[in-house]
Amino acid sequence: MKVFRAFEYRRGTTILHRVDPRSKLVYLILFTVLTVYFTRLLALLLVFLSFLPMVYIGKISARWKQSLRGSLFFIVFIFIFNFIPTAYLSGNIYGAAISAIAMSLRFLNLISVFSIFFLTTSPEDLTQSMVQLKIPYDYALTFNMAMRFVPTLSREAQYIMDAQRSRGLEMEKGNFISRIRNYIPVLIPLIISSFRRAELVADAMESRAFGASKKRTSLYILKMGRRDLLFITVALASSLALFAVNLFL
Amino acid sequence: MIRIECVTYSYSEGISALDGVDLEIGDSELLAIVGENGAGKTTLVKHLNGLLKPQHGRVLVEGIDTRETTVATLARKVGLVFQNPDHMLFAETVEKELAFALTNFGVPPEEIAKKVEWALIEFSLSNYRDRSPFTLSGGEKKRVSLASVLCYGPKIIVLDEPTTGQDNLQKTRLASTLTRLNRQGETVIVVTHDIEFVADFIPRVVVMSKGRVIADGPTEEILVRKDIMDASSILPPQLAELSWEIGLNTPSINTAMIVEEIRHMLGRTNK
Ligand SMILES: Nc1ncnc2c1ncn2[C@@H]1O[C@H](COP(=O)(O)OP(=O)(O)OP(=O)(O)O)[C@@H](O)[C@H]1O
Ligand SMILES: [Mg+2]
C-alpha cells in the first residue's frame, strides 16, 4: 500500500513545483508516449536515466524511491509473466530475458513519470488547470477527489487488514491461488466502504449547495510564464533527442 | 498474564502515540482503559496481538515476546475487536462471518457449528443468521463483529469501544456476557468512553492521557478523583459529580454508599 503514498503531493518550492500543471502535463504525455512507443531495452534505459535529473531538481528522490520499491511486486510479476511464455515459445532464454527486462523497465518508467507529475503538482492547481483547459468542472472535481481519496483508501486498507489478521487471516499463506483468495476479506470491506463514502460525500456536497450556481468563478487563475516556456522547450527537445537516438540505435 | 514494559510507539517521526507505557494485567482480570481522543488506547491494544510491535520496550503475552511471534499465533490467545465493524464484515451471511476466524484457526466443522450457535444466541443474533451483515443496523453490525471474535474463545478478550451505538438493553447484555466470561477465567479488556458502563460493571480502570498511563486502580477509587477525570477529558460518573457537589468526605460511585454517607451527615446536623 506504500505504493500509493508515493504519489501523495507534498508542498515544495522547487522549480518543478512552480511550473504550471499544464506544462507538466505536456511533459507527462511526451514521456508516457515515448515509454510506450520504445521497445528496445537501451532506449527505455535512457528514458529512465532522464528521470534522474528531474527527481533531483524536484527534491523528491526519497518518495520516488519509495514508489519504485512499492512497485517491486508488480515488476517481478511482469518479469515472470513475460519471461516464461517467451522463453518457452522461442527457446531463446537470453532474448526472452532482455525483452522481459524491457517490459519491466517500461512499467518502472510509467511509475516514475506519473510519480514525478503527482509528487510536484498540488491537487488544487491540477483541478484549476483542468478547468482552464475547458474540462467541465464536474469532471475536474471528480478527478481531484479520486486522487484525494487514494491515501484515505490506503489507510482504510491497513485498518481492514489489521482487523482480519486479528481474526487469524494469514495473507501470505498458501500457494498462488489461495494467496489471491486471501485478499477477499480485505477487498470486500474496502470496496463497500468506498461506495458508502462516495455516497456520503455526494450527500454532504449537495447539502452544501454544490452546483447551485451555474457559473463558477475562481479566486486564482493560473498563468503560463517564461518558466513554462523554458520547461516545455526542454521537455520537447529532450524527447526529440531520445526519439532520434532510438532511431539510430 | 500480560506485561507491557516501557513501550513507546510513534506513527511518524516526532509525534509519539505511546510514550513509555507500563502496565501489568493478571489472568482473569476485568479492566477498562479510558482516556481522551488520541490518548493512544487503540495504539496500545494493537500491541497486544502483535499488530504493532513496540519501538522501545516490550510486550509479553503469557511470557511470549510479541516481537518473536506472528499475529496469527497471538490472535488465538488474544481476541481483538476493533472500533469500526465496517472494517471487518465481508461474508455473505452472519453465520459465515462468525465462522471466519474459526475456519482460519482450523477448528473442526462440528465444533465450528457449535461455537457459532453459542455466539448467535449470546449476542441475540439468531434471527439474523442468514442475513447479509451489510444489511444490518449499526448496532447489530457491532454485535456481529463482537460475536465473530468471542465465538472462538480467546483467553484474552480486548474490545475497542464495544458499547458505541448499543441501546441500554444490549449494553446490559454485553456487560453480563463479559462478566460471565470473566468469571469463567477469561481476561477482559475494554477500551471505552462510556464511563457509566465502566462505573457499573468494571472493577479496574486504567486512565491514559497523551500516550501515558496516568492512573491505574480500582474503579471506585479512580473515577471519583476530579484531577484525573479532568486531565484525561473524562465526563465523570454522575454519582461522582453528585458526591463532589454535596461535599461528601468519601466521594463514591456507589448509590448505597452515597445514601449511607448522606444519612450520616444528616444525622450529625440534626443533633
Ligand atoms: N494510522 C495512523 N497513522 C498516523 N497516526 C496515527 C494513526 N493512528 C493513530 N494515530 C495517531 O496516534 C495517536 C493515538 O491514536 P489512537 O488511535 O491510539 O488514540 P485513541 O486513544 O484510540 O483515541 P480514540 O478515543 O479517538 O479512539 C493520535 O494522535 C493519532 O492521531
Ligand atoms: Mg481508538
Side-chain angles (χ1 to χ4, degrees):
Chain A
M1 297 301 152
K2 284 235 167 59
V3 69
F4 293 129
R5 212 162 300 159
F7 291 99
E8 262 175 66
Y9 169 75
R10 283 291 153 85
R11 225 174 287 279
T13 51
T14 73
I15 174 147
L16 224 51
H17 287 82
R18 280 178 294 158
V19 166
D20 192 289
R22 285 168 290 181
S23 319
K24 274 182 273 186
L25 199 63
V26 173
Y27 172 78
L28 178 71
I29 293 171
L30 281 173
F31 278 75
T32 306
V33 168
L34 283 185
T35 297
V36 175
Y37 174 71
F38 288 172
T39 49
R40 259 172 301 197
L41 180 59
L42 199 57
L44 286 163
L45 197 64
L46 285 177
V47 174
F48 185 76
L49 290 178
S50 82
F51 295 137
L52 298 181
M54 296 295 279
V55 168
Y56 178 75
I57 294 169
K59 294 195 182 136
I60 47 172
S61 59
R63 300 204 142 225
W64 172 68
K65 276 186 216 145
Q66 240 182 22
S67 72
L68 296 191
R69 219 173 302 137
S71 50
L72 205 64
F73 172 79
F74 298 101
I75 291 173
V76 171
F77 191 85
I78 290 172
F79 180 83
I80 292 173
F81 278 80
N82 277 289
F83 178 69
I84 293 177
T86 329
Y88 184 75
L89 289 177
S90 69
N92 177 356
I93 298 213
Y94 175 75
I98 292 290
S99 78
I101 292 175
M103 282 308 273
S104 315
L105 195 58
R106 184 181 269 174
F107 181 73
L108 220 55
N109 283 348
L110 286 179
I111 293 273
S112 298
V113 72
F114 276 86
S115 131
I116 289 170
F117 182 81
F118 284 111
L119 283 178
T120 59
T121 309
S122 90
E124 293 79 31
D125 284 356
L126 187 56
T127 313
Q128 180 59 24
S129 68
M130 287 168 88
V131 170
Q132 285 178 231
L133 285 171
K134 302 276 181 289
I135 294 173
Y137 182 73
D138 289 4
Y139 294 107
L141 186 72
T142 309
F143 180 79
N144 180 331
M145 291 212 313
M147 294 303 298
R148 149 75 185 75
F149 277 111
V150 168
T152 312
L153 208 66
S154 98
R155 182 169 298 184
E156 185 120 330
Q158 189 60 53
Y159 289 151
I160 294 172
M161 269 195 279
D162 282 353
Q164 305 302 37
R165 284 169 67 203
S166 301
R167 292 198 295 170
L169 178 72
E170 288 174 89
M171 312 279 293
E172 274 88 44
K173 204 166 107 177
N175 59 25
F176 191 68
I177 303 292
S178 54
R179 273 185 195 208
I180 290 175
R181 284 190 44 182
N182 288 345
Y183 274 86
I184 293 176
V186 175
L187 288 178
I188 292 181
L190 192 61
I191 293 167
I192 290 188
S193 73
S194 307
F195 277 116
R196 193 160 297 154
R197 172 167 309 113
E199 232 166 24
L200 280 174
V201 169
D203 286 350
M205 281 169 57
E206 291 197 338
S207 29
R208 288 193 278 169
F210 176 78
S213 66
K214 283 280 162 294
K215 184 150 174 49
R216 295 180 59 90
T217 54
S218 305
L219 189 54
Y220 301 104
I221 303 289
L222 293 168
K223 283 199 195 78
M224 297 267 223
R226 261 224 296 279
R227 195 189 294 136
D228 295 286
L229 203 64
L230 183 74
F231 183 84
I232 294 179
T233 314
V234 172
L236 259 175
S238 54
S239 48
L240 275 177
L242 282 167
F243 185 76
V245 169
N246 179 57
L247 280 184
F248 293 111
L249 269 180
Chain B
M1 169 89 160
I2 299 172
R3 288 175 69 103
I4 297 167
E5 295 173 356
C6 205
V7 167
T8 65
Y9 190 88
S10 60
Y11 288 95
S12 49
E13 273 323 296
I15 313 159
S16 61
L18 294 181
D19 187 13
V21 172
D22 283 291
L23 193 62
E24 198 172 303
I25 300 166
D27 284 337
S28 34
E29 274 208 65
L30 172 55
L31 77 120
I33 301 177
V34 298
E36 80 265 355
N37 286 133
K41 305 178 298 289
T42 303
T43 310
L44 182 65
V45 295
K46 278 188 179 174
H47 279 82
L48 298 181
N49 69 354
L51 282 173
L52 297 178
K53 314 275 181 185
Q55 286 161 347
H56 292 286
R58 57 178 189 164
V59 177
L60 298 177
V61 177
E62 298 187 336
I64 302 165
D65 191 323
T66 56
R67 276 173 305 193
E68 279 148 26
T69 183
T70 61
V71 177
T73 319
L74 280 170
R76 287 168 188 256
K77 291 196 180 114
V78 183
L80 188 54
V81 186
F82 282 97
Q83 265 167 300
N84 187 348
D86 289 332
H87 290 159
M88 255 189 187
L89 306 182
F90 77 99
E92 291 148 59
T93 66
V94 169
E95 198 171 1
K96 286 185 183 157
E97 192 70 55
L98 300 195
F100 177 64
L102 291 158
T103 319
N104 285 335
F105 293 136
V107 175
E110 322 81 67
E111 206 163 322
I112 292 184
K114 251 200 330 232
K115 293 193 162 165
V116 167
E117 208 55 46
W118 170 83
L120 286 171
I121 294 169
E122 194 68 42
F123 288 89
S124 7
L125 291 166
S126 302
N127 292 338
Y128 305 121
R129 171 194 295 270
D130 296 319
R131 282 268 291 276
S132 157
F134 303 112
T135 62
L136 301 179
S137 80
E140 289 159 353
K141 278 186 198 161
K142 186 86 198 180
R143 250 146 57 214
V144 175
S145 75
L146 289 167
S148 82
V149 169
L150 295 203
C151 68
Y152 69 84
K155 279 283 298 163
I156 299 165
I157 301 168
V158 186
L159 311 175
D160 203 348
E161 314 254 1
T163 57
T164 37
Q166 296 299 317
D167 62 28
N168 198 37
L169 174 67
Q170 294 303 336
K171 260 195 223 178
T172 321
R173 281 212 179 134
L174 178 68
S176 73
T177 304
L178 294 182
T179 315
R180 183 145 34 80
L181 289 172
N182 177 244
R183 259 193 231 116
Q184 291 166 5
E186 278 167 62
T187 308
V188 180
I189 302 169
V190 182
V191 173
T192 185
H193 290 285
D194 190 340
I195 213 71
E196 298 291 347
F197 184 81
V198 178
D200 287 346
F201 303 110
I202 300 184
R204 175 181 168 192
V205 58
V206 171
V207 185
M208 289 187 70
S209 177
K210 302 192 180 69
R212 290 167 184 267
V213 172
I214 59 165
D216 178 3
T219 306
E220 69 270 14
E221 287 171 24
I222 302 285
L223 295 188
V224 295
R225 293 267 306 273
K226 193 159 171 27
D227 51 338
I228 297 173
M229 298 297 98
D230 288 345
S232 51
S233 314
I234 296 171
L235 178 67
Q238 293 194 348
L239 287 177
E241 281 189 299
L242 180 70
S243 321
W244 297 333
E245 201 63 32
I246 304 175
L248 295 186
N249 289 332
T250 45
S252 171
I253 51 169
N254 181 308
T255 324
M257 279 173 67
I258 292 179
V259 169
E260 191 52 42
E261 184 98 353
I262 294 174
R263 282 230 176 83
H264 189 73
M265 283 170 74
L266 290 176
R268 227 176 26 209
T269 49
N270 282 352
K271 259 180 228 159

